[in-house]
């Protein structure tokens, strides 16, 4: 059994969670190394935001160019394909305005300043500095919130954690919608050149989505390096086409003056607010920059944005505006009108299709990062995390999340069948998450970095000026499809809250069943509780002071215990591979009672039997690894409703617990030598 951490590397290890299930041992052992009151990752002692690239672990020398290329193919796919539809949605029915010169300049001004303030200022300048050991996303902010702002009753998650969890859940909803709508809209572009292809749009979309999710196991680095060159060509095409029309009509650059955005609101009034629901399409994907920070680091993302993404997007939006100033009739599809009809149209459709497929990658990889953080923070059950790079720890693949997203995407694609029917759902999730990020970031800079109110409040108001305006405009589309991400987010949020409460109650229950290790050893030494028999037994734990409940349960039921007992703790390290001489530590607690510590890098499998063989050779332990028995606990939840959890919640918790990755697989234990001792519990 093992201790359940509060927040890994940030919170104290609480006494009431002294013994958790063995499947949580690795994460719990990492938490156990955190000193009480230690500063949270990402927070400097002087109260300032971290410097450097904001990544908690260094990249390999010479890796930066490759990471910049990979970031172009992963992080910026979503926001990089916004020119396909953002301007079009603003100047076409049902919500668009007439493509008059005043309206076009006003819309371009709104888009330019949205890109500048939301992406460049809010995220790249400020929010990306708030990292948790290099990881980003709303859950990283939760790790930076001081302990004193959390409820004393650990079965309650508190308003800050609830806000963060719902924000993260919204991103899961967006992660389902983004692949569905981007792939559908891209493939529908094929019908621009040949209407006869329209019946093939749906099956082609399904095949493309299957291929996209299938290649995820290759890792974001491999995918990014394949997608990166395509996205470079895409961004160069965006910038080149836009620059061509800007040169022809440079007057469009006047839209950089924010006065045109103000005039647009004064002229169109309520309609101007409604159209913000379409303007926000130019910044969808902005939250992915933060969520994907752990995959690549702050520096590669920043370099890619300023070096290529931002100039290309701005030029293309201004180019589409310049075209509309001369040819208002091009409003039906201003992007594809940038090229003459014929072969150039088909080439642009093909490139746009590839780019739009790539756009899905940002949300998929972001979902991986959020899931791992959720597991580390104790809000999600343990899943199988596969590291796909020895250069960057954050590059991961999670099969369970991958195929769950695929299944949800398939449901949306086959249900809605057209991207236009999904358009109303697009934007609500990401704007909701952006708003939550601003609020929690304010809490962090005030309480963790100790900024003055005079310094922090204006920044919050600036962020919320954009976030709340976009969120309000998208809420108007709630019943037209916006309920989809909200429904998905609500289900995930409920599961997170139930899991957290269930694990806390389970820890409290286990705590009641623990005893000081010194007492247990004394009883075993005198033979009062159990006879000692030949052999060796392994119990996974992270508590150095208390006997694991599974050990007590084994002794009380069998009245016997092996002569050699190993209390094993596995500590995951934030480096690819641990040097062999540092992987195994051991100390003698009492007669043939050993405390064993195994350290594993994030690119190494935690193979406990192999490590035991190393320990035997190195330390001369009197064990035979091939004959050692491993004891694990197995809890059966009764779900009667008589405990502190209601029957429905305990049933959901039981389902999640049964489907979490088990200790046997996680630690590569031989199933034929694993003994699971069951306990019936009513939480």
């Amino acid at each position: 059994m093992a201790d359940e951490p509060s927040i890994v590397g940030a919170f104290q290890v609480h006494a009431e969670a002294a013994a958790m299930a063995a499947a949580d041992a690795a994460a719990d052992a990492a938490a156990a190394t955190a000193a009480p009151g230690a500063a949270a990752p990402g927070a400097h002692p002087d109260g300032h935001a971290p410097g450097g690239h904001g990544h908690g672990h260094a990249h390999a020398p010479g890796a930066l160019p490759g990471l910049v290329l990979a970031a172009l193919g992963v992080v910026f796919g979503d926001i990089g394909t916004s020119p396909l539809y953002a301007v079009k949605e603003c100047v076409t029915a049902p919500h668009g305005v007439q493509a008059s010169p005043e309206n076009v300049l006003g819309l371009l001004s709104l888009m330019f300043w949205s890109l500048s303030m939301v992406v460049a200022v809010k995220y790249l300048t400020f929010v990306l500095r708030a990292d948790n050991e290099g990881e980003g996303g709303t859950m990283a902010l939760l790790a930076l919130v001081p302990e004193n702002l959390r409820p004393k009753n650990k079965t309650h998650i508190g308003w800050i954690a609830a806000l963060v969890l719902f924000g993260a859940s919204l991103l899961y909803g967006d992660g389902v919608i983004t692949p569905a709508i981007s792939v559908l809209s891209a493939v529908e572009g094929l019908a621009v050149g040949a209407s006869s292809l329209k019946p093939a749009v749906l099956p082609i979309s399904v095949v493309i989505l299957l291929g996209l999710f299938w290649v995820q196991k290759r890792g974001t680095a491999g995918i990014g390096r394949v997608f990166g060159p395509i996205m470079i060509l895409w961004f160069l095409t965006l910038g080149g086409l836009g620059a061509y029309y800007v040169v022809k009509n440079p007057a469009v650059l006047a839209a950089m003056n924010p006065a045109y955005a103000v005039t647009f609101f004064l002229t169109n009034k309520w309609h101007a607010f409604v159209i913000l629901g379409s303007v926000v399409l130019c910044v969808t994907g902005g939250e992915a920059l933060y969520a994907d920070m752990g995959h690549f680091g702050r520096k590669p993302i920043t370099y890619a944005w300023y070096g290529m993404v931002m100039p290309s997007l701005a030029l293309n939006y201004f180019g589409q505006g310049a075209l509309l100033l001369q040819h208002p009739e091009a409003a039906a599809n201003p992007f594809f009108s940038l090229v003459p009809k014929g072969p150039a149209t088909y080439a642009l459709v093909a490139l746009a299709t590839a780019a739009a497929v790539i756009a899905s990658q940002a949300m998929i990889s972001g979902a991986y990062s959020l899931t791992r953080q959720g597991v580390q923070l104790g809000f999600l059950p343990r899943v199988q995390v596969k590291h796909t790079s020895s250069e960057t720890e954050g590059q991961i693949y999670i099969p369970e999340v991958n195929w769950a997203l695929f299944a949800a995407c398939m449901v949306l694609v086959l249900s809605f069948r057209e991207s236009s029917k999904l358009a109303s759902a697009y934007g609500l999730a990401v704007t909701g998450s952006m708003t939550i990020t601003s609020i929690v970031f304010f809490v962090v800079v005030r309480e963790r970095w100790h900024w003055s109110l005079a310094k922090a409040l204006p920044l919050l108001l600036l962020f919320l000026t954009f976030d709340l305006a976009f969120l309000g405009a998208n809420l108007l589309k709630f019943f037209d499809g916006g309920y989809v991400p909200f429904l998905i987010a609500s289900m995930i949020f409920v599961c997170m809250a139930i899991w957290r409460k269930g694990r806390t109650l389970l820890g409290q229950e286990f705590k009641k069943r623990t005893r000081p290790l010194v007492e247990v050893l004394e009883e075993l030494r005198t033979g009062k509780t159990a006879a000692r028999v030949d052999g060796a037994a392994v119990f996974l734990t992270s508590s150095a002071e208390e006997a694991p409940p599974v050990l007590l349960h084994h002794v009380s039921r069998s009245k016997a215990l092996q002569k050699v007992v190993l209390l094993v703790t596995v500590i995951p390290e934030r480096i690819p591979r641990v040097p062999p001489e540092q992987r195994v530590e051991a100390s003698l607690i009492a007669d043939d009672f050993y405390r064993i510590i195994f350290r594993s890098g994030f690119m190494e499998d935690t193979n406990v039997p192999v490590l035991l063989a190393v320990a035997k050779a190195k330390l001369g332990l009197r064990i035979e690894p091939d004959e050692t028995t491993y004891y694990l606990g197995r809890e059966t939840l009764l779900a009667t409703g008589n405990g502190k959890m209601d029957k429905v919640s305990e049933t959901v918790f039981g389902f999640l617990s049964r489907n979490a990755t088990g200790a046997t697989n996680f630690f590569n234990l031989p199933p034929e030598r694993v003994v699971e001792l069951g306990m019936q519990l009513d939480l």
Side-chain angles (χ1 to χ4, degrees):
M1 298 296 173
D3 297 342
E4 177 168 356
S6 294
I7 289 182
V8 176
F11 290 172
Q12 301 175 9
V13 180
H14 295 284
E16 73 269 18
M20 280 287 130
D24 293 328
D28 297 341
T33 64
H44 284 195
D46 59 6
H48 296 290
H53 54 63
H55 207 263
H57 37 270
H59 302 306
L64 185 59
L67 289 171
V68 172
L69 176 65
L72 283 171
V74 174
V75 178
F76 295 105
D78 191 4
I79 198 170
T81 53
S82 296
L84 283 170
Y85 41 77
V87 176
K88 175 185 175 182
E89 292 297 320
C90 290
V91 293
T92 56
H95 304 296
V97 295
Q98 184 181 0
S100 65
E102 296 79 10
N103 286 338
V104 169
L105 291 176
L107 289 169
L108 291 178
S109 185
L110 285 171
M111 289 183 170
F112 175 77
W113 286 104
S114 295
L115 285 171
S116 300
M117 300 306 298
V118 174
V119 181
V121 174
K122 174 182 173 179
Y123 282 99
L124 292 180
T125 305
F126 291 100
V127 176
L128 260 67
R129 294 181 180 273
D131 69 282
N132 177 25
E133 298 274 345
E135 293 289 347
T138 52
M139 285 191 179
L141 285 177
L142 179 59
L144 302 181
V145 174
E147 174 73 13
N148 65 320
L149 296 181
R150 304 177 182 281
K152 301 302 180 183
N153 185 345
K154 297 306 175 182
T155 60
H156 299 157
I157 59 177
W159 72 269
I160 294 179
L163 200 62
V164 168
L165 292 183
F166 193 73
S169 300
L170 282 171
L171 278 184
Y172 280 107
D174 203 42
V176 172
I177 294 177
T178 296
I181 193 173
S182 61
V183 170
L184 271 176
S185 61
V187 177
E188 285 169 353
L190 297 175
V192 173
S195 57
S196 60
L197 291 175
K198 188 173 182 179
V201 166
L202 190 62
I204 291 176
S205 298
V206 171
V207 171
I208 290 176
L209 282 170
L210 176 60
L212 175 64
F213 284 96
W214 181 262
V215 301
Q216 293 301 312
K217 60 184 177 182
R218 298 179 61 89
T220 51
I223 294 171
R225 290 190 175 95
V226 172
F227 287 170
I230 298 176
M231 292 306 294
I232 288 178
L233 177 60
W234 171 250
F235 284 121
L236 290 176
T237 301
L238 289 181
L241 291 175
Y244 174 78
Y245 282 92
V246 168
V247 170
K248 292 179 66 175
N249 191 357
V252 75
L253 294 176
M256 286 190 290
N257 185 344
Y260 283 94
V262 175
T263 302
F264 179 79
F265 269 89
L266 294 176
T267 302
N268 292 280
K269 299 181 175 62
W270 174 251
H271 196 183
F273 175 73
V274 174
I275 209 171
L276 286 178
S278 299
V279 172
V280 74
L281 295 175
C282 74
V283 295
T284 52
E287 185 73 14
L289 305 184
Y290 188 31
D292 278 331
M293 183 169 64
H295 289 248
F296 305 103
R298 182 168 171 259
K299 268 188 178 180
I301 292 174
T302 303
Y303 289 169
W305 173 257
Y306 286 111
M308 177 166 287
V309 179
M310 175 64 174
S312 298
L313 291 176
L315 278 173
N316 193 267
Y317 287 130
F318 282 117
Q320 291 188 51
L323 172 66
L324 290 174
L325 291 179
Q326 291 182 328
H327 303 285
E329 68 277 6
N333 203 322
F335 178 79
F336 286 105
S337 297
L338 293 174
V339 297
K341 292 183 179 180
T345 301
Y346 298 125
L348 186 59
V349 167
L351 180 59
T353 301
V357 170
I358 294 170
S360 306
Q361 182 63 53
M363 298 311 302
I364 296 173
S365 56
Y368 297 157
S369 297
L370 285 173
T371 300
R372 182 170 71 164
Q373 292 168 27
V375 171
Q376 291 173 333
L377 298 175
F379 292 110
L380 287 173
R382 181 174 294 282
V383 293
Q384 185 180 12
V385 178
K386 296 185 176 181
H387 293 275
T388 58
S389 171
S390 60
E391 296 177 350
T392 306
E393 181 183 355
Q395 294 182 13
I396 58 176
Y397 166 68
I398 302 179
E400 296 95 329
V401 174
N402 186 68
W403 295 113
L405 288 176
F406 171 72
C409 284
M410 286 295 98
V411 171
L412 289 182
V413 168
L414 297 177
S415 299
F416 287 84
R417 306 180 72 86
E418 296 179 8
S419 62
S420 59
K421 295 180 179 179
L422 271 172
S424 296
Y426 202 48
L428 179 60
V430 72
T431 53
S433 185
M434 285 179 173
T435 303
I436 291 172
T437 295
S438 296
I439 296 172
V440 182
F441 181 76
F442 171 76
V443 174
V444 169
V445 300
R446 284 281 293 145
E447 303 295 334
R448 175 63 66 181
W449 298 346
H450 306 296
W451 287 15
S452 66
L453 186 63
K455 182 179 179 181
L457 185 59
L459 197 63
L460 172 66
L461 296 178
L462 176 64
F463 293 167
L464 291 182
T465 298
F466 290 85
D467 295 337
L468 292 179
F470 287 140
L471 177 61
N474 278 278
L475 283 173
L476 297 175
K477 303 185 293 183
F478 183 85
F479 293 105
D480 292 330
Y483 65 88
V484 173
F486 183 83
L487 181 62
I488 294 172
S490 297
M491 291 189 295
I492 294 175
F493 172 78
V494 169
C495 288
M496 286 182 173
I498 289 175
W499 179 259
R500 179 61 177 177
K501 182 176 181 179
R503 294 303 293 173
T504 301
L505 292 175
L506 194 60
Q508 294 173 354
E509 188 67 27
F510 283 149
K511 175 63 178 177
K512 299 175 184 177
R513 300 167 186 256
T514 61
R515 293 176 57 199
L517 185 58
V518 175
E519 292 183 6
V520 175
L521 292 176
E522 178 62 23
E523 292 178 359
L524 290 172
R525 187 184 65 81
T526 58
K528 292 180 179 180
T529 57
R532 306 301 294 274
V533 298
D534 292 337
V538 172
F539 300 89
L540 295 172
T541 178
S542 66
S543 175
E545 304 298 330
E546 296 172 323
V550 69
L551 185 152
L552 300 178
H553 191 54
H554 168 56
V555 170
S556 66
R557 297 302 175 188
S558 64
K559 305 301 180 182
L561 183 65
Q562 285 85 341
K563 290 183 178 179
V564 180
V565 177
L566 307 177
L567 304 182
V568 174
T569 297
V570 180
I571 300 178
E573 300 289 352
R574 302 188 68 84
I575 56 177
R577 292 176 176 83
V578 176
E581 65 275 11
Q582 299 177 16
R583 292 209 69 185
V584 179
E585 298 178 15
S587 60
L588 182 65
I589 303 175
D591 296 338
D592 287 329
F593 257 79
Y594 293 89
R595 161 71 57 191
I596 309 291
I597 296 177
F598 296 144
R599 303 181 187 275
S600 293
F602 63 79
M603 284 296 293
E604 296 175 306
D605 286 335
T606 306
N607 193 314
V608 170
V610 171
L611 292 173
L612 282 179
V614 174
K616 177 186 178 183
K618 182 178 180 179
L619 305 171
L621 299 179
R622 296 191 300 108
I623 62 172
E624 291 297 332
D626 292 338
E627 298 178 4
T628 300
T629 303
Y630 302 87
Y631 290 89
L632 304 178
R634 171 71 67 177
E635 304 82 32
T636 300
L637 302 179
L638 300 179
T640 64
N642 295 326
K644 296 180 181 179
M645 291 184 78
D646 61 86
K647 187 174 183 179
V648 174
S649 296
E650 193 167 358
T651 300
V652 172
F653 177 73
F655 172 81
L656 295 175
S657 183
R658 288 191 300 272
N659 287 277
T661 299
T664 299
N665 292 333
F666 186 79
F667 294 115
N668 293 285
L669 305 179
E672 69 278 5
R673 286 190 282 113
V674 172
V675 176
E676 293 189 346
L677 301 176
M679 290 183 287
Q680 290 188 338
L681 301 172
D682 186 3
L683 302 180

